[in-house]
Amino acid sequence: MQSLNVVTMDQTYPVWVGDGAINKLKELFQESFQSVTKILVISDENVTNLHKDVLVKVLPEQIDWKWHTVPKGEQAKSFAVFEQCISFALESQLDRKSCILAFGGGATGDLAGYVAASFMRGIPFIQIPTTILAHDSAVGGKVAINHPLGKNMVGHFYQPKAVVYDTRFLRTLPAQEIRSGFAEVIKHALIQDASFLEDLMTNLQDFQAMDEQYLQKCLIRGIEIKANIVAVDEKEHGIRAFLNFGHTYGHALEAKMGYGNITHGEAVMIGMMYALYLSKKYFKLTLDLHKFQNWIESLGYQLNISTSISFEDLFNAMKRDKKTIGQHVRFVLLKQIGEPVLVDMEEKDLLEADAFIRSI
């Protein structure tokens, strides 16, 4: 097991990653959360069925706890489910010294964090991620729910008190969820670390053959990259926007296809191909795009888009992206690997990149 600290303007919190990390939970409550009055676990259907017993065994015996199960995936991040969580917390008599545990994937963490940020104007929460994707979303304090017109449009910047990332939970992930999560690992390499990208492209050829030690190494490096950016720009006034590489087009795809009909990471991978094409056009990025495409396709990523979704649909969704200022759609592009930059885009160039993606 390895640990690191995430440093923000107002607090520093630990991240534990590895086999057995869940055992740190009792230590946390004994040393840092002695005054907690009640615990609310928010967990999705799959995680509740698979791992509830594991978490219950390490919950502090002296603190009363309640368990609330929400839908799996992006279906959890709705106004209706958010309201249900708040109502359950009130009915369970949580108070301002209560604590929420976000037990599940990225969507569960986003929802539970937003509930914690909103309940009685904010109570503590701890992230207990169970997916590869959540190595990204569990760190950095972005919590949100979706609106039918856009992903993560309603939320806060609200940091957890700790992240307890037990990699044993990853053993039950289906292949699609492994691909989805690893897209964010690849994103971190693209925006920050050329040698990490080279390592991945050389040594990762089959997710099923990946050993746990290599996976843990990749997760730690991804978390380090994100933590370093968050330490400088917690609330996305500048460089934190670089973490959205691939997300502008990817979020538009998710919105138009319907949340849950494509995984977040697979949509982001398409979005990264889109942004890499534009990076070559604008900055002559030297990455061999054909080689990169062959590599990600060999890992199982599908880059095709339904013909029922028009560029106009996607363009209108991109105009609602949180980076958009006025009528300018802003994209994170790469001058080179590890050198991201924000660029105001012309519609004609976005259309050209869309045609490239549809031609793959």
Side-chain angles (χ1 to χ4, degrees):
M1 183 170 60
Q2 294 178 260
S3 65
L4 58 107
N5 288 324
V6 178
V7 180
T8 69
M9 184 180 299
D10 299 319
Q11 71 178 85
T12 299
Y13 58 89
V15 180
W16 288 285
V17 184
D19 192 326
I22 194 71
N23 296 313
K24 283 289 182 180
L25 206 57
K26 275 192 176 180
E27 180 182 314
L28 269 174
F29 280 99
Q30 288 170 353
E31 297 180 359
S32 306
F33 295 92
Q34 304 96 325
S35 62
V36 167
T37 55
K38 190 168 290 189
I39 292 170
L40 170 60
V41 181
I42 296 178
S43 179
D44 73 48
E45 300 160 332
N46 283 355
V47 173
T48 296
N49 292 333
L50 289 168
H51 304 304
K52 181 176 181 178
D53 291 347
V54 177
L55 181 58
V56 167
K57 285 179 183 177
V58 296
L59 291 177
E61 297 171 359
Q62 73 277 16
I63 304 175
D64 185 29
W65 56 268
K66 301 291 182 182
W67 194 285
H68 185 61
T69 302
V70 299
K72 63 182 179 180
E74 293 293 322
Q75 303 306 314
K77 293 171 58 174
S78 70
F79 287 97
V81 176
F82 169 74
E83 183 180 6
Q84 290 165 12
C85 291
I86 294 291
S87 296
F88 186 86
L90 290 168
E91 291 162 0
S92 301
Q93 299 182 319
L94 269 69
D95 57 33
R96 299 191 74 179
K97 290 191 175 182
S98 298
C99 179
I100 289 176
L101 305 185
F103 187 42
T108 301
D110 284 357
L111 167 72
Y114 185 50
V115 172
S118 306
F119 186 77
M120 294 188 177
R121 297 190 177 93
I123 63 173
F125 85 110
I126 296 170
Q127 291 272 19
I128 310 174
T130 61
T131 65
I132 296 173
L133 184 63
H135 93 280
D136 180 71
S137 58
V139 175
K142 275 188 175 182
V143 297
I145 57 175
N146 298 330
H147 188 280
L149 294 178
K151 186 178 172 74
N152 296 332
M153 286 297 176
V154 183
H156 295 288
F157 289 96
Y158 195 72
Q159 301 292 342
K161 294 299 182 184
V163 179
V164 179
Y165 198 176
D166 196 317
T167 52
R168 288 178 299 177
F169 296 131
L170 305 181
R171 295 170 190 165
T172 59
L173 291 177
Q176 187 178 43
E177 286 301 322
I178 294 172
R179 282 196 303 273
S180 177
F182 225 88
E184 294 284 3
V185 175
I186 295 168
K187 177 202 74 177
H188 287 133
L190 284 164
I191 66 170
Q192 197 72 35
D193 191 339
S195 62
F196 183 29
L197 180 65
E198 183 178 356
D199 181 322
L200 291 171
M201 293 183 69
T202 301
N203 297 311
L204 179 61
Q205 303 300 325
D206 183 349
F207 286 130
Q208 298 305 314
M210 177 173 55
D211 64 52
E212 291 191 17
Q213 186 175 3
Y214 187 74
L215 172 59
Q216 182 172 319
K217 168 191 164 184
C218 293
L219 296 175
I220 287 284
R221 184 60 187 131
I223 292 169
E224 285 175 342
I225 289 169
K226 182 163 188 179
N228 290 338
I229 291 174
V230 169
V232 176
D233 179 23
E234 180 181 358
K235 297 191 175 178
E236 203 167 303
H237 297 303
I239 65 169
R240 183 164 180 167
F242 296 158
L243 291 165
N244 291 317
F245 181 69
H247 285 59
T248 304
Y249 193 78
H251 279 175
L253 279 174
E254 285 186 90
K256 302 316 296 183
M257 291 182 68
Y259 298 121
N261 291 324
I262 183 172
T263 67
H264 172 71
E266 289 175 313
V268 166
M269 183 57 77
I270 296 173
M272 288 194 289
M273 282 295 296
Y274 186 95
L276 289 170
Y277 176 87
L278 290 169
S279 299
K280 278 193 162 291
K281 178 179 175 65
Y282 273 64
F283 300 111
K284 298 186 176 4
L285 174 70
T286 56
L287 176 70
D288 185 333
L289 197 53
H290 184 67
K291 179 181 177 182
F292 181 82
Q293 179 186 334
N294 286 341
W295 174 59
I296 60 175
E297 288 182 333
S298 75
L299 292 173
Y301 291 98
Q302 301 294 316
L303 301 176
N304 54 302
I305 298 173
S306 171
T307 55
S308 64
I309 301 173
S310 69
F311 169 73
E312 289 73 19
D313 291 335
L314 295 172
F315 182 63
N316 287 331
M318 287 189 283
K319 287 193 291 188
R320 289 190 288 269
D321 184 85
K322 295 183 293 298
K323 295 183 297 302
T324 297
I325 305 297
Q327 293 301 308
H328 294 290
V329 179
R330 307 186 88 192
F331 258 72
V332 181
L333 301 183
L334 301 180
K335 290 184 176 180
Q336 290 299 334
I337 304 304
E339 297 182 43
V341 62
L342 272 174
V343 180
D344 289 339
M345 303 301 302
E346 298 287 338
E347 182 178 353
K348 62 180 178 61
D349 291 331
L350 297 178
L351 176 61
E352 181 182 321
D354 181 82
F356 162 73
I357 290 294
R358 292 173 193 271
S359 72
I360 292 176

